[in-house]
């Protein structure tokens, strides 16, 4: 396969990413709605929204009813996850633009896949298959191994919640760094919430797909997961906000840094005495936790402030154009 063929396949893939949905219109014949007794033309009743052609219950209705319980019917959960993996920026962009009928509800998706994740990794794998979740091999120091294993098991046990919390931490940094972007300009914090919920779903799914690596090498799993998350975040932000690759990259850098430091603020209170020393008093341990938490919080605010100032400077021309456009639209 030569470069021309590869380029052609890539262009077809890009075209599918931009417009994967094609709606087939029914004929112009008149349909009768059995729900509200209204006669209409089109795919759905304009009075009660029931789909055209709904008649007596058959085996198709039984199958659809069972599938709907698990999100496999209309706006399929599996189909939405598949779309989220291959066209993440477009899926989130469509949702923000109001094309919500084609996507499984993101908050409901997060709840379902979090439950599936917990059942698989904390019941099925250890009990049925006998696979220890993220078991840390002996590292020469039994105390260090035990501490590391405790921390990784804690992170794994609450992985779904951790993914959501970390994503929500990024709402405000994302809003600050992409406030004046060419696309989805002046996006709101509620929109930012749904962006991060989609990304939390993506993080859990990617973590699930990479889990075989975690069985063989937990540290490699952590590293590969972090790289995968960073790549997906970059892809999503580039499409959603319309900056160039480098313009997206340096803004994402500030978001990652500020979010990670802010998360470290909370994690500072989880310091284990075994990590640092065995002879610290409780008061000394509390003081150390407060010191690290305050330092991380100060660093996160500093990083975000620097990013805000740089972004405010480089977007001054665009902000001026937005202001002039708003003046012309009101005149």
């Amino acid at each position: 396969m030569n470069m021309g063929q590869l380029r052609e396949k890539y262009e077809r893939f890009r075209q599918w990413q931009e417009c994967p949905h094609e709606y087939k219109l029914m004929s112009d014949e008149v349909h009768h709605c059995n729900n509200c007794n209204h006669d209409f033309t089109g795919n759905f009743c304009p009075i009660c929204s029931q789909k055209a052609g709904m008649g007596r219950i058959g085996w198709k209705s039984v199958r659809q009813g069972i599938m709907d319980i698990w999100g496999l019917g209309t706006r399929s959960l599996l189909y939405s996850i598949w779309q989220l993996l291959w066209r993440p920026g477009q899926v989130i962009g469509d949702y923000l633009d109001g094309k919500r009928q084609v996507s499984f509800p993101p908050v409901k998706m997060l709840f379902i896949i979090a439950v599936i994740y917990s059942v698989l990794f904390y019941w099925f794998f250890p009990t049925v298959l006998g696979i220890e979740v993220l078991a840390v091999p002996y590292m020469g120091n039994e105390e260090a191994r035990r501490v590391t294993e405790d921390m990784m098991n804690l992170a794994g046990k609450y992985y779904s919640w951790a993914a959501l919390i970390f994503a929500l931490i990024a709402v405000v940094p994302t809003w600050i760094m992409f406030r004046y972007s060419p696309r989805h300009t002046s996006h709101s914090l509620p929109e930012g919430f749904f962006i991060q919920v989609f990304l939390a779903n993506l993080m859990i799914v990617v973590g699930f797909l990479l889990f075989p690596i975690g069985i063989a090498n937990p540290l490699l799993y952590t590293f590969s997961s972090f790289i995968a998350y960073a790549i997906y975040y970059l892809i999503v932000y580039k499409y959603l906000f319309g900056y160039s690759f480098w313009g997206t990259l340096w803004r994402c850098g500030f978001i990652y840094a500020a979010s990670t430091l802010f998360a470290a603020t909370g994690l500072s209170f989880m310091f284990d005495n075994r990590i640092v020393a065995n002879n610290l008093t409780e008061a000394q341990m509390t003081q150390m936790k407060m010191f690290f938490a305050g330092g991380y919080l100060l660093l996160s605010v500093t990083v975000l402030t620097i990013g805000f100032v740089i972004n405010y400077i480089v977007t001054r021309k665009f902000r001026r154009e937005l202001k002039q456009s708003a003046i012309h639209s009101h005149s």
Side-chain angles (χ1 to χ4, degrees), residues 288-309:
M288 190 190 72
K289 290 178 179 180
M290 294 299 294
F291 173 78
F292 277 100
Y296 283 130
L297 181 60
L298 180 61
L299 281 174
S300 64
V301 173
T302 302
V303 168
L304 199 55
T305 302
I306 294 173
F308 169 78
V309 172

Side-chain angles (χ1 to χ4, degrees), residues 60-61 63-80 101-105 108 112:
K60 182 179 179 182
S61 303
R63 176 180 60 83
Q64 189 71 36
I66 295 173
M67 293 176 69
D68 281 341
I69 296 175
W70 303 103
L72 301 176
T74 307
R75 295 185 290 173
S76 164
L77 173 63
L78 293 180
Y79 180 71
S80 295
Q101 191 62 28
V102 296
S103 174
F104 193 83
K108 185 178 179 181
I112 292 176

Side-chain angles (χ1 to χ4, degrees), residues 174-181 187 237 241 243 251 255:
T174 299
W175 180 76
I176 290 174
M177 297 306 301
F178 290 100
R179 182 74 174 128
Y180 302 105
S181 57
H187 78 282
Y237 284 158
F241 301 113
Y243 283 115
R251 287 176 173 87
I255 293 172

